[in-house]
Amino acid sequence: MRQIVIISGKGGTGKTSIAAAVIHTASQQSKVVSADCDVDASDLHLILQPEIKQKNVFQAGFKAQIDKDRCTVCRECIKVCRFDAIFYKQNFCTIEPFLCEGCGLCQISCNEKAITIAQETAGEWYISDCRYGNMVHAMLYPGSENSGKLVTMVRHQAKLISEDTNAEYIIIDGPPGIGCPVIASITGTDLALAVIEPTVSGIHDFERIQKLCNHFKVKILVCINKYDINIDITHNIEDYCSKNNVPVVMKLAFSDKFLYSQIQNRSIIEFDNSYSSTFSLLWSNINYD
Amino acid sequence: MNVLVASGKGGTGKTTVACNIAHYLCKQGENLKLFDADVEEPNLHLFIKGEKLAEKPVNILIPQVIQDKCTHCGKCAEVCRYNAIAVLKSGVLVFPELCHSCGACVFICPEHCIIENNKTIGKITYYRVAKGLELISGELNISEPMPTPVIKKLLKHTTHDGINIIDAAPGTGCSFTASVYFSDIILLVTENSPFGLYDLSLAYIVVKQLNKQCYICINKYLDVYDGIDKFAEKNNITVLSRIPEERRFAETYSKGELLIETYPEFEKYIKPIAEIIR
């Protein structure tokens, strides 16, 4: 079983549209499990239209609460909290849940035992069926922490399903950026496909995600999306990639067809079959590597 | 006043909108500071070029156990809610990438044998752009997992009496939430697509929970989809601007040029937003 992750560094370069097309192509020939690891802004389900078979609660992280009846307003908790999450307001000590990281230092420093720490429900994850096979996806509740842990859960479940069903591939739609959820999405995968756009910010962000992949020893391939909006930068990306031994395996032209296919909840290949050969070639390249 | 330019979905045009507003307001004689809080992939400095004034590291505190004083009682590992400390017979292991620098282990250690050392996880860079315009950019080091300490440190530089424009990270997780918390007005920049709508609706949940004033700017607007307009109407959010999807805008952006400089008529998409801020 191989795990292939689609990433980008910069957001909005076309990761999800390309992931859906890769899943479409792969599923024509092989058994595939799709995993959406962009857990705090997931969009793959809008194209794959999964039917949820199993819904699970994701518990992670903690938040502190103060029992006002026990609190003597000594303010020791305010002093020790390093996240500035406790305030003195209207004669009470109050915890701001959006700043609390649930470390529990306030609890152990409170002489009155007025503080309790409760586990949070930070999201949900789902096992679903879609027209391309099994899918694992999730929703981090907006504003919650622990996106990295939820990514790890999605990947773990995808792996279990792939083992149960003898799937040959797990195809992962990754999050933007280089932080915790991205690290959780790429570690231990066989290959990362980076979707880059030829813009000054696109190339800047690509260099950072490429270094991250190097750091975690994940092999990287490149797809340049909207390559024709700036041919000069496309050439620069190609030069940079050839110097760094990164294969550029696909170039896609700027097109509003991606928007129209999205509006119809279809992958770009289902919308316009002329993309089929481009993605078949990409898929052979992915398998060759 | 802190104005956050945010989106939920990535690549909707946050950076474009933030730097064009800043350029417009600066030309109107306003004093302002521009913040890049997309610390995983900061890009504002590519579009707003300034003279670099200073660069300061962002440090977090990581515990270190003085092994010969340690009795291996295990209290530090027990108290750590991030599983960042493991006590073995041979010694105590600290996993810096899991540590939130909360200090609970230091507090609990009966032998007082845990000290803390600085670890650099990112940096803040200060640029002078023009008279009345400064750019302050946060950057997370590659392979560091936690962006929020960089964002919190960055946003300590906002001024109380002036205008602060903050470019947020995409997503609806901890980076985004930290930025929303420290802002007064949230401008949600979305693209006119189903992906844009879904992520906008998630971002709006956070904005609403924190009870912030909120506006929408629709970017890459093609009159073939009405999901965003319906969402705005249903939730009673004013759509301040609809920037059309035009290939020339994408080309200009790709070169790192400001749309408002290249196309003077672009001002009509920026002015309604800037006027609300003023």
Side-chain angles (χ1 to χ4, degrees), chain A residues 6 21 25 79 89 95-96 106 125 131 144 192 199-200 217-218 223 241 259 266 275-276 280:
Chain A
I6 291 134
T25 309
K79 257 186 261 167
K89 211 159 69 182
I95 294 174
E96 171 51 60
C106 55
W125 56 272
R131 62 189 182 279
S144 294
T199 61
V200 288
K217 301 192 167 52
V218 174
C223 159
C241 286
L259 172 64
R266 294 156 88 187
Y275 280 93
S276 163
S280 295

Side-chain angles (χ1 to χ4, degrees), chain A residues 9 18 30 50 60 65 67 71 78 122 124 128 132 168-169 174 193 202 209 213 217 235 240 246 268 283:
Chain A
I18 286 169
S30 309
Q65 282 165 347
D67 179 349
C71 175
I78 298 179
E124 293 168 4
S128 301
Y132 303 124
E168 292 144 90
Y169 295 96
L193 176 68
I209 192 84
C213 286
K217 301 192 167 52
H235 289 325
Y240 177 87
V246 177
I268 190 73
W283 187 240

